[in-house]
Every structure is written in C-alpha cells, then in structure tokens.
Amino acid sequence: MYDLIVIGGGPAGLAAACAAWEGGLRSILIVERDQELGGILNQCIHNGFGLHYFKEELTGPEYAGRFIRMLSDTGVEVRLDTMVLEVTADRQVHMVGKTTGYRVEQARSIVLAMGCRERTRGAIGIPGTRPAGVFTAGAAQRYVNMEGWMPGNRVVILGSGDIGLIMARRMTLEGAKVLACVEVMPYSGGLNRNIVQCLHDYDIPLYLSHTVTDIRGKDRVEQVVVSQVDERRNPIPGTEMVFDCDTLLLSVGLIPENELTRQAGVEMDRRTNGAVVYENMETSIPGVFACGNVCHVHDLVDFVTAESQRAGAAAARYVAQNGDAPQRVLQVRNGDGVTYTVPQRIRPDRVEKRCDLFFRVNRICGDSEILVTSGDTQIARFKREHLAPGEMENITLPRVLLDKARDEITVSIREVEQA
Amino acid sequence: MYDVIIIGCGITGAATAFELSRYRLKVAVVERENDVAIGTTKANSAILHAGYDPMPGSLMARLNVRGVELARTLCEKLDVPYVPCGSMVLAFSQQEKPHLEELYRRGQANGVPGLALLTGDEARELEPNLSDAVVAALHAPSAAICSPWEYCLALAETAVRNGVQLHRNTGVTGLSPVDGGWLVNTDKGQMWARYVVSAAGVDCQQIHELAAPCPYTIHPARGQYYLLDKSEGDRVGRVIFQCPNDLGKGVLVAPTVHGNLIVGPNSEPVEGEDTSTTAAGLAFVRDKALKSVPSVQFNQSIRNFAGVRAVADTGDFVIDWAAPGLLDLAGICSPGLSAAPAIGEYAVELLGADGLALEEKEQFICERHRTRFKQLPQAERAALVERQTAFGRVICRCETVTEGEILEALAGPIPPCSVDGVKRRVNAGMGRCQGGFCGPRVVEILSRELGISPGEVVQDQAGTWLLARETKGGDK
Ligand SMILES: Cc1cc2nc3c(=O)[nH]c(=O)nc-3n(C[C@H](O)[C@H](O)[C@H](O)COP(=O)(O)OP(=O)(O)OC[C@H]3O[C@@H](n4cnc5c(N)ncnc54)[C@H](O)[C@@H]3O)c2cc1C
Ligand SMILES: Cc1cc2nc3c(=O)[nH]c(=O)nc-3n(C[C@H](O)[C@H](O)[C@H](O)COP(=O)(O)OP(=O)(O)OC[C@H]3O[C@@H](n4cnc5c(N)ncnc54)[C@H](O)[C@@H]3O)c2cc1C
C-alpha cells in the first residue's frame, strides 16, 4: 500500500511527488513508462523554460533536471519503463514493465499526470494520398532531438502552435528548407515570442487563414496544396498554392491523454478534454488528483509545476485527514469570451488565502476586463491589455471574495477596445 | 517447375494458396509489393456479407454464401478477429420498402439463414441510435465483421507453414506459354509452372493481356472512409446499410473488430489504383451516414482512407480460364472478402478438373495462434511477462501492444519489413494517436531486428522512406 502513486514522471508528476513529500507523505511511487524521468521536456532542447518559476531561461532537459535532482533528495520510489494499464475507482493501479513485471498496487491517493498526445491527420481529415512523410511535429521532434534523424528535407508545417514553430526553427538549423507555416485561424496559436524567434528570424512565411487541402505523392509526400479559407474556415477555390516538399509536419493541437482517467470513472470536462477538478486539483473521485497537460493543455511548464505542486500538497493533506465532510461548492462557469476554466469547481472552505484560476479565451482581444460575477454581483475585475487563445490566462481570487459568491461564479471577458 | 504459381497475395491469392497447401504440390505465390494484404484487401468495409445482395444464380451469390460459412470456422482456427454481429438494411420511405422485400427474396433464393423484415420501431429497438426516419429494415443475423488484413495474413502464413513459397517484392512482367505450362517473367527473374492463377486484383486485366486478349474490362471504383475512435465504437452494434440507389450501394456505419466505428464508402470511378481521399468524397460519406445514424461524432475521426474495387463489366466475378493453364480470379470486387475461401476452394476444383493431381497431405496445419497481450486476463499477463520480459514493454500505448508481440511477428512465417507491416500484424499504430508515439519505437525495433539502419526502414511499400538523413550532430 502506497500513500500516493503518481502516474507519469513528466514535470507534472515530478512536482506533485516533491510537494507530497514536503507535505509529509513517506511512501510515494512514481510510475513512468519511458526509460527516464522528465516527460516531453526531454525532447524540448530549446530554451525558454523556467522564466516564471526559476527566473532564468533553461532548456527542457535542464528544467526537468532540477526537479529530478530535488526528487533524488527524497525517498520517493521511481519505477521506469513501466506503463500503467488501468486505474480503478478504489485506487488500485495496474502496471506492467519489462523488469518490474505485472503488478497491481493499492494507493491511498493518486495523482494523474500522463500528459497529452498530438492530434493527427485523421483527426482533421486532410484529403489526398497517404504517403510517408506526414508526421506530427512532436514525433518529428523526437526523431531529430532524441534519435538524431531528420524526417525530411523540404518541409511545410500545418499549425502555428508552439511545437510547430519550434520545429520550423529546429528543422531549419539542421539544414532543411521550411517552405511555409500554415495556420487555419486568422491568428497564431503559439506564443508571440516563438513567432518572432522561430519564423521571422529565419524568413519562414506564416500564412494565416490558410490550410492544407490536398496531399500528393504515392510513396512519399511530393506536394502539398495550401488554400486560403473564408471566415467559416472553408477553403476558397482559386487560392491554391502548391508546395513541392517531401514532408508535412502537423502541429494541430494536443489532446490530454485521459484513457485511464475515463476508465476509472472520473467525471470529464468536454471543453478541456481533462478531468473536472476542484481548487486543489482533486477530481470527482476523492483522493484522485489530476495536473499538468493531462488536466488541460498548458503553454508554459512553469504553470504546470505550480498546479502540480498544489495537487501533490493536496494529496498529502487528503491522506493525513483521510478525507472529510462535503462542503459548499461553487461551480465556475464560462461566460462570454471564455472557453474553459480550471478549476471547474471551488470549495471555498478548502481555499486557504487565495485560489488560482486558469482559463483560455476564444478570440483575440485588445484592452479588456476579466469579470468575475456571482449571480448579479460582480466580485472581482482584472485588466489586461491583450488576450489570445494561444496564451493561457490566470487570475487569483482571494478567499474573502469567494465567500461572497453563492453557488456559482462566472468568468467573462469585456473588451474595452477592439483588438 | 512449380505446379502452381499464384500472382498476387491479397485475400484471393492467399485463400487459394491456403486451399492448395492441403495437397502435395509445389506452389509459389508472387507478390509485387513487400508485404501481403497491401492492395484492396487492406482497405474495405471488412464485412462478411450475409449474401442477400448478389443475384441468385451468380458466382457472387454462390461463393458469398459458401465463403461466409467457411469463414466462421476458419477465422476461429486461424485466430482471426471475427464478430458475428449481424447486419441491417434500412428503408427511409415507403418507396424503399419494396427494395427490402426484393433483398429478402434474393436472400431466400441464395440460402441466407435467419432473414427478417422489421418495422422502424423494431429496428430501433435493436439499434437505439438509428434515425427516427427509418420506416423498415431487413435484418440479417448471419453477417459478420472481421480483420481483413489479418484474415489474409493468417491464410498466407498458414499456407507458408504448409510449404507454399511466398516471394515478395516480385512483380510479374510477362507470361509465355511453354511446353507443359507457363514461363513467368518477374522483376526478380524467371519462374516456370504448370498452372498460373491470377489473383492480381485491379491488375487482373493487365495480367490476362500478357497472355491473351482480355474479353472483360476492369473498371476501378474507389470508396472512401472515415475510421472513428473507440469512443464511437458502440454507436451501433450491427452493420447498418442503406438501400442502394442511383448513387451506389449507400453508405454503411459499422463497428470494427478492433472496437472502432467505420463509416463509408462512396463509389466513384478512378484511374488505376488511385486511393486518395477527396474533400467531396468524404463530405458525401459523412452526410449519407448521418442519415442512418444522426449521432455519429465525426470529430472523433482518427483516419480517412480509400480502397479501389476491381469491378468487371460482366457484373459478376470472373473465375475462368484466360488461356490453357492460366486461371483468372478477376473482377473480385465486393463481396470478395466474404467469398474468399470459397473462391479458393472453387479455383482448386477447377484446377483439379483440368488435371492437377490433388493428393492430400498427411499433415496439414490448419491452426494459428498469436499472442494478444491486451486481451489476456491479468494472471496470464503476469505469467507471460515473467517468462519473457519483452511482453512487459508496451510499445503502442493506444492499443496496448508489447514489444514481445512485435518480436513474435518478426519471428513468424511472413515477417513484417515495414512500420505498417508491423501494424497489420499486431495493431501497433492503429489507435487514436496513429503511431505518433510508437512510430519511432517501431522504427528502432525494425532497425535493430532486421539489422538495417533506421534510414532504411520504410513506412509501408518500397519507396515510403521515413527518415532522410542523420542530423548534423548525429552519428557516433
Ligand atoms: C514541443 C513542446 C515545446 C514546448 N515548449 C515550451 C517552452 O518553450 N516553454 C515552456 O515553458 N513550456 C513549453 N512546453 C510545455 C511543457 O513542456 C509541457 O506543458 C509540460 O511538459 C507538460 O508536463 P506534463 O508532466 O503534464 O506532461 P509530459 O511532459 O508529457 O509528461 C507525462 C509523462 O507521463 C508519462 N505517462 C503517460 N501515460 C503513462 C502511463 N499510462 N503509465 C506511465 N507513464 C505514463 C509519459 O511517458 C510522460 O513522461 C512545450 C511542450 C512541447 C510538447
Ligand atoms: C471500398 C471497398 C469496400 C469493400 N467492402 C467489402 C466488404 O465489406 N466485404 C467484402 O466481402 N468485400 C468487400 N470489398 C471487396 C474486397 O475488398 C475485395 O474483393 C478483395 O479485397 C479483393 O482481394 P484480391 O486479393 O482479389 O485483391 P487485392 O487485395 O488487391 O490483391 C491483389 C494483389 O496482387 C498484387 N499484384 C498486382 N499485380 C501484380 C503483379 N503484376 N505481380 C505480382 N503481384 C501483383 C497486388 O500487389 C496485390 O497485393 C470491398 C472493396 C472495396 C474497394
């Protein structure tokens, strides 16, 4: 019997385990299917990690390394090369590994930190032939940065999310010709700094409001056709551009990896594709927590760390107190301009001083106000000069304000000046 | 000199090879590509049709009904995923009802068991997600679904274990009559055989023309599909057809044996083996499918694909002598998968009648087994990992496929030599992430086990290279 089993040893799992250790738990197990800890960070060899948390710029492996070192000062047990196959509602964890065999372990609490996977060609239905040479950007990143192989020489990238942008630069530095980055929306889904540093600096054109409408080539990609789209994202005939290339990289979104979560019977949020969580990252099953990309897709690892520390600390508290009576619950609703929030529910009595609330907006906004209301009363207001769907927003609500709310709070955006 | 050379190793060639491998004969199968089941056999609806569709008296009718009867035991013995889920044809208006009655009559004439005409409400009771617009349905409990490529692979593997030689990467380029048989020219050299059987799918007409003028024409007809995630796998429990109309057979919605939902196909003429998908074709499929089952969630799509039917202008399968000693198994469009074992049986009957001595082997292997880690109960999983640690390393996380299963396939009678070859054998890469995660790991295993560089590992057929070169800092 473990006090805590953490599933996934990426930045989320590492931070949660460290925080649970600090919170006093002494029998903690991290299960990681890869051969090393660090998660997706191991293939992110560019820098830009840790600006918020460590106040310095680190590469992905360096950032992970700091937590792996912190972990080595604790007594947390780690099982690598071991994959969790099933989690039950009564907190049994089934796992299998080459050296660890098939085991079923019982846990008092569980942190789900499995990260996410990439959307594929099939998910977005690009027509055409089905040759080799269509990769998700993350798979290409793994080939280049981990295996030391280039997946192609002449590249078109669909999607301007961060992974696509980073790969545009990476492929260029490795001698490939990146012909274009194509984005169906009228704005990029990536961080602004990545657009400048990965596209502009290398003269890679970014085609906004464009998409790939055909893939050609029998054995290997030979051409892709790019068309402009109208406001409803339908291709406009006559706008086709043909690129001669051998590779198409897809950076068209990430999907939280929640098969285990669903199987366990945890309540899910259709908008985040992750579990519905409370203020302390607890899911609908008491003692089961979710954090990091498995809960909602993050842009910055620093926020993953902060959120996961909360989950780890809460798991420690849960085990110590062995759960307690149900309390008042506030539903957090998405108002105008808001796609989702995390947490989706807040128990004010569990909030010590303040509660962090993360959310995404559904359009680019200029000068705006973020309004938090409960019924007809406004309980908080925050100002932002700029809001974009590609950048996760975060506000902090003091406990005293939450005590004013009744049953629900709604987060919405009021644009003061059009972007 | 071979007794028989079979051209093509799709389901038709494989079934014929399997049937022939019962006898003391020297048999070879030549396949142009680097794997079996790489033509139409890998891209179809995967349905073992009950047999009410073909016109009574046709070869299609006879071989379809016989084929699915054979499939039932064959799939079990050869460990081929097979689910006898039944099918339904829907009518959306009173005008369409006579068509159901016609299918019912044909089915009776063809000897299809258990057919029943249902009202719309009866149909919805069996399939709650059917549209309210359904007014009647024909229920055929004997229809089934299977894994078409594993079916083909299982037949081919068993044939090989029974002594048939399989030559991959060997395309037939010429056929000349010689004394007592045929000289078969291939891009790998010459071969001789008493009999040649053409099971070349869409290319049967070309093969025929290498030897004699061809009396029929093959009109390739493409069908496009959506494959949806397992989250949609329970949307229907049976194969749901529509009444055919001017635009073809209608679009079906069906579960797959792997737990996904398949939706398609349309039908459109194409040149040769053009299996591309088109925005218009996919939109058509989607619109039509929603008519049957309005709640299908197309945002759960994990893949689109297309297959090309080899439709002969005769309107039936063409199973006949192209020239003395050269047997055509041509025009094997739908229900070719359903009919396959019966086509094999019939081909052997024709060869026997022509003078091929059919002497049964004493030891004919008619069983096959592969490890499916995902389906094993917990205790067996544990024991397996204990015995062989490679079964403890999960390579494909979506389908829970282990390294042990991949190594088992590599040690099998027809080892895979491509990433998709691995996928067709053990399902790695078939799931919702479509190989995004396991692709690099499968490349690594193939490179290691086949003793080739990762740069030489292909996605599928020859020419489908994956990796261009090592990175600048790469190499030891
Ligand atoms: C290409 C890319 C570029 C990025 N760039 C930046 C950047 O510049 N700056 C920045 O701050 N952030 C960046 N990020 C974001 C940041 O890296 C991620 O948000 C963060 O890594 C998510 O952490 P995680 O622990 O939730 O998930 P992951 O890092 O994905 O870790 C999940 C772990 O769980 C394991 N796992 C999953 N399922 C199982 C199972 N069943 N059993 C056992 N183990 C399992 C996985 O193997 C993995 O190790 C980037 C992300 C990517 C992908
Ligand atoms: C859209 C669609 C849906 C279908 N749905 C169903 C269904 O639900 N149920 C059903 O029963 N049937 C169905 N079918 C029909 C079924 O798929 C086919 O009848 C069957 O797969 C044909 O198999 P085959 O072996 O004849 O051809 P193929 O699988 O095409 O095999 C022919 C092989 O010959 C090889 N070859 C070609 N030329 C040469 C050469 N010169 N030298 C050497 N080798 C050569 C090719 O490489 C190929 O491997 C469907 C077909 C399509 C297209």
Side-chain angles (χ1 to χ4, degrees):
Chain A
M1 169 83 92
Y2 286 94
D3 286 340
L4 169 64
I5 295 181
V6 177
I7 304 172
L14 290 169
C18 286
W21 180 269
E22 264 169 43
L25 296 192
R26 285 298 170 266
S27 90
I28 303 176
L29 171 67
I30 300 182
V31 188
E32 167 57 52
R33 68 176 167 215
D34 226 314
Q35 299 180 15
E36 50 198 341
L37 294 170
I40 198 76
L41 291 182
N42 289 329
Q43 65 181 58
C44 300
I45 62 172
H46 56 281
N47 58 10
F49 296 84
L51 277 170
H52 295 252
Y53 192 77
F54 291 112
K55 310 278 180 252
E56 56 181 311
E57 261 198 275
L58 305 172
T59 64
E62 283 170 348
Y63 188 97
R66 295 218 174 168
F67 280 91
I68 295 172
R69 252 189 323 268
M70 272 182 236
L71 190 81
S72 65
D73 294 337
T74 68
V76 172
E77 184 185 337
V78 177
R79 266 184 222 164
L80 296 175
D81 216 353
T82 303
M83 168 122 172
V84 173
L85 298 177
E86 193 184 343
V87 176
T88 65
D90 52 2
R91 296 191 296 274
Q92 282 189 345
V93 183
H94 293 239
M95 59 190 85
V96 67
K98 219 168 162 165
T99 51
T100 51
Y102 193 100
R103 304 238 210 128
V104 184
E105 306 286 2
Q106 178 71 52
R108 289 197 173 86
S109 65
I110 289 176
V111 169
L112 302 169
M114 289 89 72
C116 54
R117 65 168 183 271
E118 297 176 276
R119 288 178 82 206
T120 64
R121 174 179 177 183
I124 54 173
I126 311 173
T129 55
R130 285 171 307 288
V134 181
F135 300 90
T136 58
Q141 186 180 46
R142 187 182 166 97
Y143 276 123
V144 178
N145 292 344
M146 312 278 286
E147 323 273 340
W149 279 88
M150 283 291 284
N153 293 316
R154 290 177 63 80
V155 185
V156 168
I157 297 178
L158 175 59
S160 62
D162 288 314
I163 316 181
L165 299 175
I166 296 282
M167 282 312 287
R169 175 173 67 186
R170 187 77 186 102
M171 297 288 281
T172 306
L173 291 175
E174 285 292 343
K177 177 75 189 159
V178 178
L179 302 163
C181 179
V182 179
E183 167 62 57
V184 72
M185 302 302 282
Y187 48 82
S188 159
L191 299 173
N192 209 27
R193 68 164 198 236
N194 282 338
I195 296 184
V196 175
Q197 293 171 8
C198 300
L199 296 184
H200 295 181
D201 288 0
Y202 298 88
D203 292 327
I204 298 169
L206 170 63
Y207 294 99
L208 296 174
S209 296
H210 279 71
T211 193
V212 171
T213 46
D214 197 11
I215 296 175
R216 298 174 181 165
K218 179 171 181 294
D219 296 331
R220 176 79 191 196
V221 174
E222 289 167 17
Q223 292 181 326
V224 306
V225 179
V226 170
S227 308
Q228 201 182 329
V229 298
D230 61 22
E231 309 81 64
R232 302 176 60 209
R233 283 184 263 160
N234 291 318
I236 304 173
T239 60
E240 295 82 3
M241 293 183 278
V242 177
F243 290 91
D244 291 313
C245 59
D246 57 25
T247 304
L248 175 64
L249 295 190
L250 302 177
S251 173
V252 291
L254 300 170
I255 305 172
E257 183 91 48
N258 273 304
E259 281 63 46
L260 296 175
T261 320
R262 285 202 187 84
Q263 224 177 31
V266 168
E267 183 186 343
M268 303 293 294
D269 181 341
R270 278 189 27 239
R271 285 161 302 223
T272 55
N273 277 312
V276 170
V277 289
Y278 291 97
E279 71 298 325
N280 61 357
M281 308 311 289
E282 192 167 14
T283 68
S284 62
I285 301 183
V288 177
F289 302 79
C291 56
N293 279 354
V294 79
C295 186
H296 59 133
V297 175
H298 293 253
D299 329 308
L300 293 176
V301 71
D302 310 70
F303 292 127
V304 171
T305 298
E307 165 179 303
S308 305
Q309 287 172 331
R310 253 186 299 141
R317 230 172 295 129
Y318 175 86
V319 172
Q321 295 164 3
N322 219 343
D324 44 21
Q327 297 130 342
R328 196 161 72 93
V329 177
L330 294 179
Q331 301 285 340
V332 186
R333 296 203 200 288
N334 308 316
D336 186 43
V338 174
T339 318
Y340 75 74
T341 67
V342 166
Q344 292 87 339
R345 287 176 197 160
I346 299 173
R347 295 167 292 204
D349 308 332
R350 293 265 177 106
V351 175
E352 267 171 44
K353 290 205 181 73
R354 55 189 76 88
C355 173
D356 283 321
L357 198 88
F358 294 91
F359 62 93
R360 280 185 197 270
V361 294
N362 61 16
R363 56 174 192 265
I364 301 252
C365 302
D367 239 338
S368 300
E369 288 174 342
I370 302 165
L371 303 177
V372 182
T373 50
S374 179
D376 293 336
T377 34
Q378 176 177 313
I379 59 172
R381 190 176 59 157
F382 304 83
K383 287 197 162 109
R384 291 288 187 279
E385 280 169 13
H386 178 78
L387 293 164
E391 313 205 358
M392 198 169 69
E393 281 300 326
N394 145 27
I395 53 177
T396 301
L397 300 175
R399 163 82 190 258
V400 285
L401 293 184
L402 292 173
D403 285 338
K404 290 191 202 160
R406 304 196 35 193
D407 301 335
E408 55 91 31
I409 58 172
T410 300
V411 183
S412 52
I413 306 300
R414 188 164 69 200
E415 212 170 344
V416 180
E417 205 177 285
Q418 289 275 304
Chain B
M1 184 83 151
Y2 289 97
D3 292 307
V4 184
I5 289 178
I6 299 167
I7 305 174
C9 202
I11 189 79
T12 308
T16 307
F18 172 79
E19 267 313 304
L20 281 171
S21 74
R22 296 175 188 277
Y23 308 100
R24 292 171 197 250
L25 295 169
K26 198 170 168 210
V27 179
V29 185
V30 290
E31 168 55 55
R32 182 178 57 198
E33 305 295 344
N34 64 6
D35 204 358
V36 307
I38 210 168
T40 304
T41 296
K42 77 167 177 198
N44 52 61
S45 311
I47 290 146
L48 301 177
H49 294 286
Y52 47 73
D53 226 12
M55 288 309 256
S58 63
L59 270 178
M60 275 185 185
R62 176 159 66 87
L63 298 175
N64 179 344
V65 174
R66 172 73 181 148
V68 292
E69 187 188 314
L70 290 170
R72 216 166 352 152
T73 40
L74 211 46
C75 289
E76 193 190 324
K77 283 185 178 162
L78 301 186
D79 196 6
V80 177
Y82 170 97
V83 181
C85 59
S87 70
M88 259 187 211
V89 188
L90 308 181
F92 293 98
S93 65
Q94 295 304 324
Q95 288 93 305
E96 285 186 329
K97 266 169 96 170
H99 188 84
L100 296 186
E101 286 153 15
E102 163 65 13
L103 291 179
Y104 180 84
R105 275 191 299 276
R106 277 192 224 166
Q108 297 292 3
N110 294 345
V112 179
L115 289 177
L117 287 163
L118 309 179
T119 64
D121 286 337
E122 286 168 341
R124 273 181 295 271
E125 203 159 301
L126 292 175
E127 289 290 345
N129 288 324
L130 289 185
S131 157
D132 290 339
V134 174
V135 297
L138 173 67
H139 181 215
S142 65
I145 52 177
C146 71
S147 164
W149 52 88
E150 189 157 359
Y151 194 7
C152 175
L153 185 74
L155 290 164
E157 279 185 356
T158 312
V160 167
R161 286 170 65 217
N162 282 308
V164 170
Q165 294 179 21
L166 172 67
H167 302 273
R168 289 186 271 175
N169 300 304
T170 309
V172 172
T173 52
L175 286 173
S176 336
V178 292
D179 211 15
W182 289 89
L183 164 64
V184 180
N185 275 301
T186 77
D187 45 23
K188 285 283 170 65
Q190 301 185 320
M191 300 164 83
W192 287 264
R194 280 181 66 199
Y195 288 96
V196 173
V197 176
S198 167
V202 177
D203 292 332
C204 275
Q205 188 182 335
Q206 276 98 301
I207 297 289
H208 189 120
E209 282 163 354
L210 293 176
C214 191
Y216 57 84
T217 310
I218 300 286
H219 295 288
R222 180 172 65 194
Q224 306 187 25
Y225 292 93
Y226 280 91
L227 189 73
L228 306 191
D229 188 41
K230 292 195 165 70
S231 58
E232 285 294 296
D234 295 332
R235 189 63 61 184
V236 293
R238 292 168 187 75
V239 181
I240 306 298
F241 295 101
Q242 300 170 339
C243 280
N245 54 32
D246 314 340
L247 292 165
K249 264 192 177 177
V251 164
L252 64 85
V253 178
T256 74
V257 289
H258 305 105
N260 301 78
L261 191 76
I262 188 171
V263 180
N266 64 341
S267 183
E268 52 193 349
V270 283
E271 291 288 317
E273 281 152 84
D274 177 1
T275 57
S276 32
T277 56
T278 62
L282 293 172
F284 173 88
V285 162
R286 185 190 172 113
D287 286 353
K288 283 282 172 296
L290 289 172
K291 204 177 158 204
S292 298
V293 188
S295 54
V296 173
Q297 301 293 310
F298 278 91
N299 61 6
Q300 294 297 301
S301 167
I302 62 171
R303 190 169 173 89
N304 297 117
F305 66 91
V308 176
R309 312 169 182 87
V311 184
D313 58 359
T314 61
D316 201 353
F317 294 156
V318 180
I319 303 184
D320 206 350
W321 297 101
L326 172 60
L327 184 64
D328 256 342
L329 307 180
I332 310 295
C333 55
S334 190
L337 182 69
S338 319
I343 294 175
E345 207 179 57
Y346 182 45
V348 173
E349 194 184 311
L350 291 176
L351 291 168
D354 195 67
L356 182 68
L358 300 175
E359 222 181 293
E360 286 197 21
K361 283 175 189 159
E362 267 155 34
Q363 310 242 293
F364 170 65
I365 303 165
C366 190
E367 62 185 43
R368 171 182 173 271
H369 170 73
R370 84 168 172 89
T371 308
R372 296 170 206 270
F373 183 84
K374 188 182 181 178
Q375 291 169 16
L376 293 179
Q378 190 183 320
E380 279 179 50
R381 285 180 176 183
L384 187 62
V385 180
E386 191 96 343
R387 271 202 311 281
Q388 264 174 290
T389 56
F391 285 101
R393 184 163 175 234
V394 176
I395 299 293
C396 167
R397 61 187 183 194
C398 301
E399 299 292 317
T400 320
V401 178
T402 63
E403 184 170 5
E405 288 158 272
I406 298 177
L407 295 178
E408 197 176 81
L410 280 160
I414 308 177
C417 50
S418 65
V419 173
D420 285 356
V422 169
K423 165 166 130 183
R424 284 189 290 272
R425 281 162 183 77
V426 300
N427 301 353
M430 246 186 48
R432 47 178 70 91
C433 94
Q434 288 286 300
F437 173 77
C438 67
R441 288 157 179 86
V442 172
V443 168
E444 183 193 314
I445 294 173
L446 282 173
S447 147
R448 185 184 75 211
E449 297 296 319
L450 302 176
I452 57 178
S453 134
E456 293 173 88
V457 175
V458 286
Q459 176 76 43
D460 199 1
Q461 73 274 14
T464 57
W465 58 275
L466 279 166
L467 300 172
R469 58 187 161 82
E470 286 182 69
T471 53
K472 291 174 179 170
D475 208 28
K476 305 84 227 178

